[in-house]
Amino acid sequence: MADATQLKQTVRFATSLYADKGARAYHAFVRREPLSQLAYGHRLRDPYPNYEVVRARGPFVRNRFGHPTSVDHAICNEILRSRRFGPRAEHEASGPGGEEGDLSFLTYNPPDHTRLRRLVAPAFGPRQMRGYRGLIEQTVDDLLDDVEERGSFDLVSGFASPLPIAVISRMMGIPDSETEGFATYGAAIGTALSGVTSLRHAARLMQASRALTDVFTRLFELRRREPHDDVISHLVAAQGESITPEEMVPLCTLLLLAGFETTVNAIGNGVLALMEHRDQWERLVADPGLAGGAVEEVLRFDAPVQGTSRVSFDDTVIRGTPIGRDELVQLRIGGANRDPTVFDQPDRFDITRPNAAEHLAFSGGIHYCLGAPLARLELAVVFGALARRLPQLRRADRPVRYRRSLVIHGPAALPMRVR
Ligand code: HEM
């Protein structure tokens, strides 16, 4: 009986998955819709001309699902900061649904959002950031020793990925024996952010999700017996008071996923932009103190998270467009970051741009990226160290492979050479 139900569910899932692929292709190639085209070919790498088509059509354009979608900086900013929009409908129960892929407070409304965010926020305070600097510098130095010796390397797997994993593992207190599994399962689950692409993919995700739950469960036990100064010990101590047992795994999964793929792609996009704008790279090499400004411009110019969404709690009108209660609105952060009413010559990459930090790459309002101080620190150390240690860095003469995602944006492989 259970088998028959499972089979039915699998068939239903497979049918909807492939029907959706077909519908998207129809909208992209037959109807030539700029937002559907983003899923294909060179638009995965360069979505920006399509955002300009959207911008020219008005403050909102409806995507193929009928959702109002905006690339307007003021509109995205207003909606992200509004208390009358949230990641889910106002009446929809907040808190863990126990569903696969529950991403904790990122997808909750207050008061659950407030309670859980408050619980982990101290891990991102200024004192903690000072504590991470040494680890980040040391990890970056070790990785650069290794790539220098090799001469050519893949920036994504050989440099960008190991860094955030080392930092998040330290933050959460993952013991060395578990780090490899933690990274592998985390990377597998991270692919879900780009959408489930096949039945095999769905099966791999479920397997990884169970394995990651096992890693966390073992750790909860360990830290209950032997508490340390890390996030998991802190959560275990708060369990039963400000966090329920069911909320523990989704919260840990959020910290892993939010801090991993995003940082990897920010490094990939940043190095790619610096290589393709050699004058800006030379400026950074001449003055690695410009690394902080380079971070903001990289996040503005080619945001690693290209979009997010919100649900309206009311019937409302924004810039003449009616938005219904419970209606989903898509916000294309990548497009907002190229809004010419905010950024002068937005398609120019300039690491000294005075207002680059007005980008929305870390979102805004109550869901503003909690890890932003950590991400900024990691990226500044990375760009500074690359410029100091590898001034001759170049792209190797091989093509860049791009991630097939409309949300997480960046190279999946970026072959480089040191000289
Ligand atoms: C360059 C790197 C990063 C980028 C571009 C980024 C981007 C974002 C964005 C856009 C959101 C909000 C999404 C929305 O409003 O729907 C977000 C939320 C979040 N990020 Fe980041 N992130 C980065 C790094 C990190 C790191 C290193 C961590 C932690 C280790 C982290 C932890 C979080 C958390 C916990 C949230 C949820 C905040 C909330 O819902 O209140 N992020 N991030």
Side-chain angles (χ1 to χ4, degrees), residues 138-172:
Q138 186 62 57
T139 310
V140 168
D141 261 346
D142 292 348
L143 289 166
L144 290 183
D145 287 346
D146 183 51
V147 302
E148 233 177 347
E149 207 175 289
R150 280 191 284 154
S152 57
F153 65 105
D154 170 30
L155 183 100
V156 178
S157 59
F159 180 73
S161 301
L163 174 66
I165 280 295
V167 177
I168 301 164
S169 300
R170 164 78 75 87
M171 169 177 269
M172 300 187 79

PDB file of all heavy atoms in Angstrom, residues 138-172:
ATOM      1  N   GLN A 138      44.216  32.618   7.669  1.00  0.00           N
ATOM      2  CA  GLN A 138      45.037  31.402   7.621  1.00  0.00           C
ATOM      3  C   GLN A 138      44.521  30.448   6.532  1.00  0.00           C
ATOM      4  O   GLN A 138      45.307  29.902   5.744  1.00  0.00           O
ATOM      5  CB  GLN A 138      44.988  30.712   9.002  1.00  0.00           C
ATOM      6  CG  GLN A 138      45.922  29.523   9.133  1.00  0.00           C
ATOM      7  CD  GLN A 138      47.385  29.937   8.961  1.00  0.00           C
ATOM      8  OE1 GLN A 138      47.868  30.791   9.678  1.00  0.00           O
ATOM      9  NE2 GLN A 138      48.066  29.354   7.977  1.00  0.00           N
ATOM     10  N   THR A 139      43.205  30.266   6.469  1.00  0.00           N
ATOM     11  CA  THR A 139      42.634  29.342   5.469  1.00  0.00           C
ATOM     12  C   THR A 139      42.944  29.857   4.060  1.00  0.00           C
ATOM     13  O   THR A 139      43.350  29.084   3.189  1.00  0.00           O
ATOM     14  CB  THR A 139      41.098  29.218   5.669  1.00  0.00           C
ATOM     15  OG1 THR A 139      40.849  28.937   7.036  1.00  0.00           O
ATOM     16  CG2 THR A 139      40.507  28.130   4.805  1.00  0.00           C
ATOM     17  N   VAL A 140      42.780  31.164   3.840  1.00  0.00           N
ATOM     18  CA  VAL A 140      43.047  31.735   2.520  1.00  0.00           C
ATOM     19  C   VAL A 140      44.528  31.547   2.165  1.00  0.00           C
ATOM     20  O   VAL A 140      44.868  31.140   1.049  1.00  0.00           O
ATOM     21  CB  VAL A 140      42.649  33.237   2.482  1.00  0.00           C
ATOM     22  CG1 VAL A 140      43.182  33.931   1.244  1.00  0.00           C
ATOM     23  CG2 VAL A 140      41.127  33.361   2.532  1.00  0.00           C
ATOM     24  N   ASP A 141      45.415  31.794   3.129  1.00  0.00           N
ATOM     25  CA  ASP A 141      46.856  31.635   2.873  1.00  0.00           C
ATOM     26  C   ASP A 141      47.191  30.202   2.505  1.00  0.00           C
ATOM     27  O   ASP A 141      47.947  29.956   1.556  1.00  0.00           O
ATOM     28  CB  ASP A 141      47.653  32.044   4.120  1.00  0.00           C
ATOM     29  CG  ASP A 141      48.169  33.465   3.973  1.00  0.00           C
ATOM     30  OD1 ASP A 141      48.131  33.979   2.832  1.00  0.00           O
ATOM     31  OD2 ASP A 141      48.580  34.058   4.977  1.00  0.00           O
ATOM     32  N   ASP A 142      46.635  29.241   3.253  1.00  0.00           N
ATOM     33  CA  ASP A 142      46.914  27.828   2.959  1.00  0.00           C
ATOM     34  C   ASP A 142      46.410  27.463   1.565  1.00  0.00           C
ATOM     35  O   ASP A 142      47.088  26.772   0.801  1.00  0.00           O
ATOM     36  CB  ASP A 142      46.240  26.910   3.989  1.00  0.00           C
ATOM     37  CG  ASP A 142      46.867  27.064   5.376  1.00  0.00           C
ATOM     38  OD1 ASP A 142      47.950  27.688   5.470  1.00  0.00           O
ATOM     39  OD2 ASP A 142      46.271  26.585   6.357  1.00  0.00           O
ATOM     40  N   LEU A 143      45.221  27.943   1.226  1.00  0.00           N
ATOM     41  CA  LEU A 143      44.659  27.612  -0.097  1.00  0.00           C
ATOM     42  C   LEU A 143      45.518  28.238  -1.199  1.00  0.00           C
ATOM     43  O   LEU A 143      45.745  27.626  -2.249  1.00  0.00           O
ATOM     44  CB  LEU A 143      43.213  28.115  -0.197  1.00  0.00           C
ATOM     45  CG  LEU A 143      42.190  27.346   0.646  1.00  0.00           C
ATOM     46  CD1 LEU A 143      40.873  28.110   0.741  1.00  0.00           C
ATOM     47  CD2 LEU A 143      41.935  25.957   0.038  1.00  0.00           C
ATOM     48  N   LEU A 144      46.006  29.457  -0.950  1.00  0.00           N
ATOM     49  CA  LEU A 144      46.830  30.116  -1.978  1.00  0.00           C
ATOM     50  C   LEU A 144      48.202  29.438  -2.108  1.00  0.00           C
ATOM     51  O   LEU A 144      48.739  29.347  -3.219  1.00  0.00           O
ATOM     52  CB  LEU A 144      46.970  31.611  -1.686  1.00  0.00           C
ATOM     53  CG  LEU A 144      45.689  32.421  -1.892  1.00  0.00           C
ATOM     54  CD1 LEU A 144      45.939  33.904  -1.658  1.00  0.00           C
ATOM     55  CD2 LEU A 144      45.111  32.218  -3.288  1.00  0.00           C
ATOM     56  N   ASP A 145      48.755  28.936  -0.996  1.00  0.00           N
ATOM     57  CA  ASP A 145      50.013  28.169  -1.093  1.00  0.00           C
ATOM     58  C   ASP A 145      49.805  27.016  -2.061  1.00  0.00           C
ATOM     59  O   ASP A 145      50.628  26.745  -2.932  1.00  0.00           O
ATOM     60  CB  ASP A 145      50.391  27.562   0.272  1.00  0.00           C
ATOM     61  CG  ASP A 145      50.900  28.634   1.238  1.00  0.00           C
ATOM     62  OD1 ASP A 145      51.209  29.751   0.766  1.00  0.00           O
ATOM     63  OD2 ASP A 145      50.974  28.345   2.449  1.00  0.00           O
ATOM     64  N   ASP A 146      48.678  26.360  -1.882  1.00  0.00           N
ATOM     65  CA  ASP A 146      48.393  25.175  -2.682  1.00  0.00           C
ATOM     66  C   ASP A 146      48.211  25.523  -4.168  1.00  0.00           C
ATOM     67  O   ASP A 146      48.808  24.894  -5.039  1.00  0.00           O
ATOM     68  CB  ASP A 146      47.121  24.528  -2.107  1.00  0.00           C
ATOM     69  CG  ASP A 146      46.779  23.250  -2.808  1.00  0.00           C
ATOM     70  OD1 ASP A 146      47.687  22.404  -2.922  1.00  0.00           O
ATOM     71  OD2 ASP A 146      45.623  23.103  -3.260  1.00  0.00           O
ATOM     72  N   VAL A 147      47.443  26.568  -4.482  1.00  0.00           N
ATOM     73  CA  VAL A 147      47.204  26.880  -5.899  1.00  0.00           C
ATOM     74  C   VAL A 147      48.475  27.453  -6.550  1.00  0.00           C
ATOM     75  O   VAL A 147      48.732  27.209  -7.724  1.00  0.00           O
ATOM     76  CB  VAL A 147      46.001  27.829  -6.137  1.00  0.00           C
ATOM     77  CG1 VAL A 147      44.733  27.244  -5.572  1.00  0.00           C
ATOM     78  CG2 VAL A 147      46.230  29.215  -5.607  1.00  0.00           C
ATOM     79  N   GLU A 148      49.278  28.149  -5.774  1.00  0.00           N
ATOM     80  CA  GLU A 148      50.532  28.691  -6.306  1.00  0.00           C
ATOM     81  C   GLU A 148      51.438  27.559  -6.768  1.00  0.00           C
ATOM     82  O   GLU A 148      52.065  27.625  -7.817  1.00  0.00           O
ATOM     83  CB  GLU A 148      51.236  29.498  -5.211  1.00  0.00           C
ATOM     84  CG  GLU A 148      51.589  30.888  -5.650  1.00  0.00           C
ATOM     85  CD  GLU A 148      52.209  31.696  -4.529  1.00  0.00           C
ATOM     86  OE1 GLU A 148      52.161  31.288  -3.350  1.00  0.00           O
ATOM     87  OE2 GLU A 148      52.746  32.757  -4.854  1.00  0.00           O
ATOM     88  N   GLU A 149      51.453  26.525  -5.962  1.00  0.00           N
ATOM     89  CA  GLU A 149      52.298  25.381  -6.278  1.00  0.00           C
ATOM     90  C   GLU A 149      51.795  24.676  -7.538  1.00  0.00           C
ATOM     91  O   GLU A 149      52.568  24.231  -8.373  1.00  0.00           O
ATOM     92  CB  GLU A 149      52.254  24.425  -5.092  1.00  0.00           C
ATOM     93  CG  GLU A 149      53.491  23.569  -4.949  1.00  0.00           C
ATOM     94  CD  GLU A 149      53.372  22.752  -3.676  1.00  0.00           C
ATOM     95  OE1 GLU A 149      53.466  23.363  -2.594  1.00  0.00           O
ATOM     96  OE2 GLU A 149      53.150  21.531  -3.783  1.00  0.00           O
ATOM     97  N   ARG A 150      50.456  24.619  -7.664  1.00  0.00           N
ATOM     98  CA  ARG A 150      49.894  23.890  -8.809  1.00  0.00           C
ATOM     99  C   ARG A 150      49.969  24.689 -10.109  1.00  0.00           C
ATOM    100  O   ARG A 150      49.966  24.128 -11.189  1.00  0.00           O
ATOM    101  CB  ARG A 150      48.438  23.518  -8.519  1.00  0.00           C
ATOM    102  CG  ARG A 150      48.352  22.288  -7.618  1.00  0.00           C
ATOM    103  CD  ARG A 150      46.942  21.781  -7.549  1.00  0.00           C
ATOM    104  NE  ARG A 150      46.129  22.613  -6.685  1.00  0.00           N
ATOM    105  CZ  ARG A 150      44.819  22.745  -6.786  1.00  0.00           C
ATOM    106  NH1 ARG A 150      44.166  22.132  -7.746  1.00  0.00           N
ATOM    107  NH2 ARG A 150      44.157  23.500  -5.938  1.00  0.00           N
ATOM    108  N   GLY A 151      49.957  26.018 -10.020  1.00  0.00           N
ATOM    109  CA  GLY A 151      50.070  26.847 -11.231  1.00  0.00           C
ATOM    110  C   GLY A 151      48.738  27.087 -11.911  1.00  0.00           C
ATOM    111  O   GLY A 151      48.410  28.201 -12.269  1.00  0.00           O
ATOM    112  N   SER A 152      47.935  26.049 -12.103  1.00  0.00           N
ATOM    113  CA  SER A 152      46.595  26.276 -12.654  1.00  0.00           C
ATOM    114  C   SER A 152      45.596  25.534 -11.765  1.00  0.00           C
ATOM    115  O   SER A 152      45.931  24.502 -11.177  1.00  0.00           O
ATOM    116  CB  SER A 152      46.500  25.807 -14.100  1.00  0.00           C
ATOM    117  OG  SER A 152      46.842  24.456 -14.163  1.00  0.00           O
ATOM    118  N   PHE A 153      44.397  26.059 -11.698  1.00  0.00           N
ATOM    119  CA  PHE A 153      43.424  25.487 -10.750  1.00  0.00           C
ATOM    120  C   PHE A 153      42.017  25.951 -11.109  1.00  0.00           C
ATOM    121  O   PHE A 153      41.845  26.918 -11.854  1.00  0.00           O
ATOM    122  CB  PHE A 153      43.781  25.918  -9.316  1.00  0.00           C
ATOM    123  CG  PHE A 153      43.658  27.408  -9.073  1.00  0.00           C
ATOM    124  CD1 PHE A 153      42.591  27.933  -8.350  1.00  0.00           C
ATOM    125  CD2 PHE A 153      44.606  28.299  -9.573  1.00  0.00           C
ATOM    126  CE1 PHE A 153      42.466  29.304  -8.119  1.00  0.00           C
ATOM    127  CE2 PHE A 153      44.497  29.683  -9.352  1.00  0.00           C
ATOM    128  CZ  PHE A 153      43.433  30.176  -8.627  1.00  0.00           C
ATOM    129  N   ASP A 154      41.034  25.224 -10.548  1.00  0.00           N
ATOM    130  CA  ASP A 154      39.645  25.670 -10.705  1.00  0.00           C
ATOM    131  C   ASP A 154      39.314  26.546  -9.497  1.00  0.00           C
ATOM    132  O   ASP A 154      39.352  26.064  -8.353  1.00  0.00           O
ATOM    133  CB  ASP A 154      38.693  24.475 -10.793  1.00  0.00           C
ATOM    134  CG  ASP A 154      37.237  24.927 -10.701  1.00  0.00           C
ATOM    135  OD1 ASP A 154      36.942  26.060 -11.142  1.00  0.00           O
ATOM    136  OD2 ASP A 154      36.404  24.168 -10.170  1.00  0.00           O
ATOM    137  N   LEU A 155      38.996  27.798  -9.757  1.00  0.00           N
ATOM    138  CA  LEU A 155      38.763  28.738  -8.664  1.00  0.00           C
ATOM    139  C   LEU A 155      37.629  28.272  -7.747  1.00  0.00           C
ATOM    140  O   LEU A 155      37.676  28.470  -6.543  1.00  0.00           O
ATOM    141  CB  LEU A 155      38.426  30.126  -9.220  1.00  0.00           C
ATOM    142  CG  LEU A 155      38.240  31.147  -8.107  1.00  0.00           C
ATOM    143  CD1 LEU A 155      39.495  31.983  -7.930  1.00  0.00           C
ATOM    144  CD2 LEU A 155      37.043  32.031  -8.337  1.00  0.00           C
ATOM    145  N   VAL A 156      36.602  27.638  -8.334  1.00  0.00           N
ATOM    146  CA  VAL A 156      35.419  27.306  -7.536  1.00  0.00           C
ATOM    147  C   VAL A 156      35.717  26.146  -6.581  1.00  0.00           C
ATOM    148  O   VAL A 156      35.565  26.273  -5.360  1.00  0.00           O
ATOM    149  CB  VAL A 156      34.209  26.996  -8.444  1.00  0.00           C
ATOM    150  CG1 VAL A 156      32.991  26.591  -7.616  1.00  0.00           C
ATOM    151  CG2 VAL A 156      33.886  28.220  -9.297  1.00  0.00           C
ATOM    152  N   SER A 157      36.183  25.002  -7.136  1.00  0.00           N
ATOM    153  CA  SER A 157      36.399  23.851  -6.249  1.00  0.00           C
ATOM    154  C   SER A 157      37.700  23.968  -5.464  1.00  0.00           C
ATOM    155  O   SER A 157      37.799  23.487  -4.346  1.00  0.00           O
ATOM    156  CB  SER A 157      36.382  22.549  -7.054  1.00  0.00           C
ATOM    157  OG  SER A 157      37.399  22.607  -8.036  1.00  0.00           O
ATOM    158  N   GLY A 158      38.717  24.626  -6.062  1.00  0.00           N
ATOM    159  CA  GLY A 158      40.034  24.641  -5.438  1.00  0.00           C
ATOM    160  C   GLY A 158      40.260  25.793  -4.482  1.00  0.00           C
ATOM    161  O   GLY A 158      41.241  25.813  -3.741  1.00  0.00           O
ATOM    162  N   PHE A 159      39.379  26.785  -4.507  1.00  0.00           N
ATOM    163  CA  PHE A 159      39.633  27.950  -3.653  1.00  0.00           C
ATOM    164  C   PHE A 159      38.355  28.483  -2.994  1.00  0.00           C
ATOM    165  O   PHE A 159      38.285  28.601  -1.770  1.00  0.00           O
ATOM    166  CB  PHE A 159      40.305  29.061  -4.479  1.00  0.00           C
ATOM    167  CG  PHE A 159      40.595  30.292  -3.690  1.00  0.00           C
ATOM    168  CD1 PHE A 159      41.625  30.315  -2.759  1.00  0.00           C
ATOM    169  CD2 PHE A 159      39.823  31.442  -3.861  1.00  0.00           C
ATOM    170  CE1 PHE A 159      41.877  31.455  -1.995  1.00  0.00           C
ATOM    171  CE2 PHE A 159      40.077  32.582  -3.103  1.00  0.00           C
ATOM    172  CZ  PHE A 159      41.105  32.593  -2.179  1.00  0.00           C
ATOM    173  N   ALA A 160      37.323  28.758  -3.817  1.00  0.00           N
ATOM    174  CA  ALA A 160      36.133  29.444  -3.278  1.00  0.00           C
ATOM    175  C   ALA A 160      35.322  28.554  -2.331  1.00  0.00           C
ATOM    176  O   ALA A 160      34.788  29.037  -1.332  1.00  0.00           O
ATOM    177  CB  ALA A 160      35.256  29.950  -4.414  1.00  0.00           C
ATOM    178  N   SER A 161      35.211  27.254  -2.630  1.00  0.00           N
ATOM    179  CA  SER A 161      34.351  26.387  -1.808  1.00  0.00           C
ATOM    180  C   SER A 161      34.939  26.045  -0.439  1.00  0.00           C
ATOM    181  O   SER A 161      34.212  26.060   0.557  1.00  0.00           O
ATOM    182  CB  SER A 161      34.007  25.094  -2.545  1.00  0.00           C
ATOM    183  OG  SER A 161      33.359  25.394  -3.733  1.00  0.00           O
ATOM    184  N   PRO A 162      36.226  25.692  -0.359  1.00  0.00           N
ATOM    185  CA  PRO A 162      36.734  25.266   0.961  1.00  0.00           C
ATOM    186  C   PRO A 162      36.677  26.366   2.030  1.00  0.00           C
ATOM    187  O   PRO A 162      36.546  26.065   3.213  1.00  0.00           O
ATOM    188  CB  PRO A 162      38.197  24.882   0.684  1.00  0.00           C
ATOM    189  CG  PRO A 162      38.293  24.684  -0.793  1.00  0.00           C
ATOM    190  CD  PRO A 162      37.243  25.544  -1.411  1.00  0.00           C
ATOM    191  N   LEU A 163      36.743  27.632   1.633  1.00  0.00           N
ATOM    192  CA  LEU A 163      36.813  28.710   2.633  1.00  0.00           C
ATOM    193  C   LEU A 163      35.531  28.825   3.470  1.00  0.00           C
ATOM    194  O   LEU A 163      35.582  28.713   4.697  1.00  0.00           O
ATOM    195  CB  LEU A 163      37.181  30.050   1.969  1.00  0.00           C
ATOM    196  CG  LEU A 163      37.131  31.246   2.907  1.00  0.00           C
ATOM    197  CD1 LEU A 163      38.201  31.138   3.993  1.00  0.00           C
ATOM    198  CD2 LEU A 163      37.283  32.560   2.152  1.00  0.00           C
ATOM    199  N   PRO A 164      34.360  29.049   2.835  1.00  0.00           N
ATOM    200  CA  PRO A 164      33.162  29.178   3.676  1.00  0.00           C
ATOM    201  C   PRO A 164      32.863  27.924   4.493  1.00  0.00           C
ATOM    202  O   PRO A 164      32.345  28.027   5.611  1.00  0.00           O
ATOM    203  CB  PRO A 164      32.026  29.462   2.684  1.00  0.00           C
ATOM    204  CG  PRO A 164      32.589  29.341   1.329  1.00  0.00           C
ATOM    205  CD  PRO A 164      34.074  29.339   1.424  1.00  0.00           C
ATOM    206  N   ILE A 165      33.206  26.759   3.952  1.00  0.00           N
ATOM    207  CA  ILE A 165      32.951  25.534   4.715  1.00  0.00           C
ATOM    208  C   ILE A 165      33.795  25.521   5.983  1.00  0.00           C
ATOM    209  O   ILE A 165      33.310  25.184   7.068  1.00  0.00           O
ATOM    210  CB  ILE A 165      33.247  24.280   3.840  1.00  0.00           C
ATOM    211  CG1 ILE A 165      32.068  24.019   2.923  1.00  0.00           C
ATOM    212  CG2 ILE A 165      33.524  23.043   4.681  1.00  0.00           C
ATOM    213  CD1 ILE A 165      30.778  23.641   3.654  1.00  0.00           C
ATOM    214  N   ALA A 166      35.061  25.953   5.863  1.00  0.00           N
ATOM    215  CA  ALA A 166      35.926  25.986   7.050  1.00  0.00           C
ATOM    216  C   ALA A 166      35.351  26.951   8.089  1.00  0.00           C
ATOM    217  O   ALA A 166      35.319  26.660   9.289  1.00  0.00           O
ATOM    218  CB  ALA A 166      37.336  26.420   6.650  1.00  0.00           C
ATOM    219  N   VAL A 167      34.844  28.098   7.619  1.00  0.00           N
ATOM    220  CA  VAL A 167      34.338  29.112   8.551  1.00  0.00           C
ATOM    221  C   VAL A 167      33.038  28.647   9.224  1.00  0.00           C
ATOM    222  O   VAL A 167      32.881  28.748  10.445  1.00  0.00           O
ATOM    223  CB  VAL A 167      34.127  30.459   7.819  1.00  0.00           C
ATOM    224  CG1 VAL A 167      33.538  31.503   8.746  1.00  0.00           C
ATOM    225  CG2 VAL A 167      35.443  30.957   7.238  1.00  0.00           C
ATOM    226  N   ILE A 168      32.119  28.113   8.424  1.00  0.00           N
ATOM    227  CA  ILE A 168      30.833  27.690   9.016  1.00  0.00           C
ATOM    228  C   ILE A 168      31.062  26.504   9.954  1.00  0.00           C
ATOM    229  O   ILE A 168      30.417  26.398  10.994  1.00  0.00           O
ATOM    230  CB  ILE A 168      29.797  27.345   7.921  1.00  0.00           C
ATOM    231  CG1 ILE A 168      29.558  28.559   7.025  1.00  0.00           C
ATOM    232  CG2 ILE A 168      28.473  26.943   8.542  1.00  0.00           C
ATOM    233  CD1 ILE A 168      28.872  28.219   5.739  1.00  0.00           C
ATOM    234  N   SER A 169      31.978  25.620   9.573  1.00  0.00           N
ATOM    235  CA  SER A 169      32.256  24.473  10.454  1.00  0.00           C
ATOM    236  C   SER A 169      32.750  24.967  11.806  1.00  0.00           C
ATOM    237  O   SER A 169      32.328  24.469  12.847  1.00  0.00           O
ATOM    238  CB  SER A 169      33.313  23.545   9.846  1.00  0.00           C
ATOM    239  OG  SER A 169      32.864  23.056   8.623  1.00  0.00           O
ATOM    240  N   ARG A 170      33.635  25.967  11.797  1.00  0.00           N
ATOM    241  CA  ARG A 170      34.150  26.515  13.061  1.00  0.00           C
ATOM    242  C   ARG A 170      33.011  27.163  13.844  1.00  0.00           C
ATOM    243  O   ARG A 170      32.853  26.966  15.047  1.00  0.00           O
ATOM    244  CB  ARG A 170      35.252  27.528  12.762  1.00  0.00           C
ATOM    245  CG  ARG A 170      35.600  28.439  13.918  1.00  0.00           C
ATOM    246  CD  ARG A 170      36.475  27.780  14.977  1.00  0.00           C
ATOM    247  NE  ARG A 170      37.830  27.687  14.484  1.00  0.00           N
ATOM    248  CZ  ARG A 170      38.748  28.649  14.598  1.00  0.00           C
ATOM    249  NH1 ARG A 170      38.441  29.755  15.231  1.00  0.00           N
ATOM    250  NH2 ARG A 170      39.955  28.500  14.101  1.00  0.00           N
ATOM    251  N   MET A 171      32.188  27.948  13.133  1.00  0.00           N
ATOM    252  CA  MET A 171      31.113  28.666  13.800  1.00  0.00           C
ATOM    253  C   MET A 171      30.143  27.698  14.489  1.00  0.00           C
ATOM    254  O   MET A 171      29.705  27.907  15.606  1.00  0.00           O
ATOM    255  CB  MET A 171      30.374  29.500  12.748  1.00  0.00           C
ATOM    256  CG  MET A 171      29.092  30.097  13.224  1.00  0.00           C
ATOM    257  SD  MET A 171      28.374  31.101  11.935  1.00  0.00           S
ATOM    258  CE  MET A 171      29.072  32.655  12.296  1.00  0.00           C
ATOM    259  N   MET A 172      29.838  26.593  13.788  1.00  0.00           N
ATOM    260  CA  MET A 172      28.856  25.665  14.337  1.00  0.00           C
ATOM    261  C   MET A 172      29.491  24.635  15.252  1.00  0.00           C
ATOM    262  O   MET A 172      28.793  23.940  15.981  1.00  0.00           O
ATOM    263  CB  MET A 172      28.122  24.975  13.192  1.00  0.00           C
ATOM    264  CG  MET A 172      27.404  25.999  12.329  1.00  0.00           C
ATOM    265  SD  MET A 172      26.360  25.254  11.108  1.00  0.00           S
ATOM    266  CE  MET A 172      24.974  24.841  12.106  1.00  0.00           C
TER     267      MET A 172
END
